[in-house]
Amino acid sequence: MRPIIPDYLAEALGDVEPDASGEPAAYIPELAAADPERLAAAFATVDGRVYGAGDVDVPFTIQSISKPFVYALALADRGFDPVLARVGVEPSGEAFNEISLESGSGRPLNPMINAGAITVHSLVGPERCAPADRVERVIRGLSAFAGRQLTVDRQVYASEMATAHRNLAIAHMLRSHDMLTEDARTVVEGYTEQCSVLVTTRDLALMAATLANRGVNPLSGETVVSETVVRQVLSVMFSCGMYDAAGDWATQVGIPAKSGVAGGLIGTLPGRIGIATFSPRLDRHGNSVRGVSLFERFSSDMGLHVMDVPSAGQAVVRSNHVLGSGTDALRVLELQGGIDFAGAERVVRAALETAPPEARVAVDLTRVHAIDDVARRMVLEVARRLTLDGQEVYLVDPETMLPDPDPGEGGRVTVVRTVEEAAPTPS
Ligand code: GLU
């Protein structure tokens, strides 16, 4: 059988290929020289499968796509409060290199614009970290997200530093507000090295998949940052990742994303996949023209908008029926799928609001494949309240979805492996 997903990706690339609008970034001379025809797309699943089409192994510099990952490293190294004190989380609605800071405090509005990203770079590693050690930590961290050792493109670095007047101006302004506490030029040098790290589209898909996979690289299994850090990073990517096009992006594509001026673009579907595209021509916002078209297409073809309403929640209670009759009758609530708060609310309703008259109730988890913490607590509370109402509660749990179920004070459950163990024996 021909591979379905690479074929789909190749077809999508073929559709956007004729669009030659936009220009490669010109303000970094070395980037202006990039081959504008390069085109690639890759998907990486949270269990480490990578599908790609086009120039997926061609290296280019990561540029601003480093920002969310380095923000993650700063949050991991310093904790939330010190980072939030220096860099906000509000969308700026302005261009990436706007010289804008929050009035009064001088705090950059978010970590995705250059002012925020330059400050964030200075917050990686321990306090009073030597600049070279910090760059080392940044490269090591980005490499851990990608699952392989990454290196810096010295030519792009030198080219950007030679024309980094705007970023230097931003850094000096940050220094004057004490948002930077170190030499402004040294921080810009470190930040520019960070932007000059070479990646491929395949690397970027895996980096995005590491965010999708709660901070665990799907190939190496390494936990790069915690789940709490990932949530913060994805939230900021969602509201601020696409610069002054963030609102259009959130509504039309609806995938937390980040673009870079070398033409890369990543998107993360939490718990599902990491996506990356590469095409150097940029639109007026600094986002890859063909990359944006590809993401629009992926989102609508595959229903990837994060605000799309999942269909699963409603069907958590697969059936609600009675076995046997009389005093022996057993009410069976058969659950299925993954259970979260909304699913557990259905269970609460089925079990409590309809107040089953039977003296014995079985909650059957045989077809449940996942149950999150709030749902676990809610199911156990259902068991406790049924016990308090004088009912005998069974948990049919052959796969131990609820280990050591303790319904709390006054509650009692009997764990069985099959409904038959609790069902009345036919007379
Ligand atoms: N190194 C670039 C800069 O700071 C990154 C900008 C981007 O990729 O959007 O200007």
Side-chain angles (χ1 to χ4, degrees):
M1 192 172 74
R2 285 176 58 79
I4 296 176
I5 298 174
D7 274 4
Y8 166 77
L9 291 174
E11 188 189 309
L13 294 187
D15 286 350
V16 300
E17 198 164 11
D19 184 354
S21 61
E23 293 293 335
Y27 74 102
I28 302 174
E30 196 64 23
L31 291 187
D35 176 357
E37 295 308 330
R38 293 289 190 195
L39 182 60
F43 288 174
T45 65
V46 291
D47 61 354
R49 187 68 194 260
V50 182
Y51 299 99
D55 302 316
V56 277
D57 292 315
V58 169
F60 53 94
T61 51
I62 189 168
Q63 298 299 341
S64 280
I65 303 172
S66 62
K67 292 172 181 173
F69 297 101
V70 175
Y71 183 48
L73 298 177
L75 290 168
D77 290 352
R78 296 283 177 96
F80 277 54
D81 289 345
V83 175
L84 286 168
R86 298 273 189 87
V87 183
V89 290
E90 295 304 330
S92 69
E94 289 176 326
F96 71 99
N97 57 2
E98 199 55 49
I99 308 193
S100 71
L101 301 177
E102 202 173 69
S103 60
S105 68
R107 197 173 64 141
L109 287 169
N110 68 64
M112 301 295 143
I113 53 170
N114 287 8
I118 291 168
T119 310
V120 163
H121 177 87
S122 78
L123 295 171
V124 173
E127 267 181 78
R128 280 181 283 281
C129 185
D133 294 344
R134 180 179 300 136
V135 170
E136 160 73 27
R137 159 75 177 136
V138 164
I139 297 172
R140 226 180 334 112
L142 292 173
S143 302
F145 273 109
R148 74 172 182 104
Q149 184 59 47
L150 303 174
T151 56
V152 171
D153 183 324
R154 290 281 146 205
Q155 255 168 300
V156 173
Y157 168 74
S159 172
E160 180 164 357
M161 270 320 291
T163 53
H165 314 299
R166 213 177 161 90
N167 283 341
L168 286 166
I170 292 172
H172 281 291
M173 234 172 63
L174 289 164
R175 181 73 188 86
S176 78
H177 282 97
D178 284 332
M179 289 293 132
L180 283 185
T181 48
E182 298 172 30
D183 176 56
R185 184 175 181 91
T186 309
V187 178
V188 171
E189 284 170 354
Y191 162 77
T192 308
E193 275 197 72
Q194 163 191 326
C195 290
S196 305
V197 165
L198 282 168
V199 286
T200 63
T201 310
R202 181 187 300 276
D203 291 327
L204 288 180
L206 277 162
M207 294 175 83
T210 302
L211 293 178
N213 195 33
R214 303 191 167 103
V216 179
N217 181 290
L219 282 187
S220 68
E222 180 183 348
T223 302
V224 185
V225 290
S226 71
E227 263 186 84
T228 347
V229 165
V230 168
R231 187 175 72 177
Q232 177 79 4
V233 170
L234 290 178
S235 308
V236 174
M237 272 167 71
F238 196 60
S239 55
C240 315
M242 299 300 280
Y243 305 130
D244 38 347
D248 277 345
W249 181 268
T251 50
Q252 282 163 29
V253 179
I255 299 174
K258 187 72 203 82
S259 65
V261 286
L265 182 54
I266 63 159
T268 290
L269 261 298
R272 294 154 79 190
I273 52 169
I275 305 175
T277 61
F278 171 47
S279 171
R281 289 194 200 92
L282 310 180
D283 63 18
R284 64 189 170 85
H285 304 292
N287 299 325
S288 164
V289 174
R290 297 192 291 193
V292 170
S293 302
L294 285 167
F295 268 79
E296 282 171 356
R297 172 166 176 164
F298 296 155
S299 174
S300 72
D301 283 358
M302 290 179 281
L304 300 181
H305 197 298
V306 288
M307 298 301 171
D308 278 343
V309 181
S311 52
Q314 280 69 355
V316 159
V317 182
R318 179 182 165 89
S319 81
N320 180 354
H321 59 274
V322 179
L323 293 179
S325 58
T327 51
D328 258 3
L330 178 73
R331 164 74 53 175
V332 180
L333 296 176
E334 191 187 356
L335 311 186
Q336 67 181 1
I339 311 186
D340 59 4
F341 172 78
E345 187 273 340
R346 296 286 170 140
V347 181
V348 170
R349 242 192 288 174
L352 300 178
E353 287 179 15
T354 55
E358 295 74 26
R360 301 176 339 114
V361 179
V363 178
D364 183 357
L365 303 178
T366 310
R367 289 169 188 267
V368 170
H369 62 72
I371 178 160
D372 74 8
D373 190 51
V374 63
R376 183 183 60 80
R377 284 181 277 131
M378 286 168 78
V379 168
L380 289 174
E381 183 61 12
V382 164
R384 189 176 81 89
R385 297 202 184 187
L386 289 172
T387 322
L388 291 176
D389 286 350
Q391 277 150 316
E392 198 170 332
V393 184
Y394 297 87
L395 206 54
V396 185
D397 192 8
E399 306 280 340
T400 322
M401 295 307 303
L402 287 187
D404 307 319
D406 177 6
E409 209 177 328
R412 206 182 65 211
V413 291
T414 306
V415 180
V416 292
R417 292 187 59 81
T418 61
V419 179
E420 288 66 39
E421 286 177 50
T425 28
S427 45

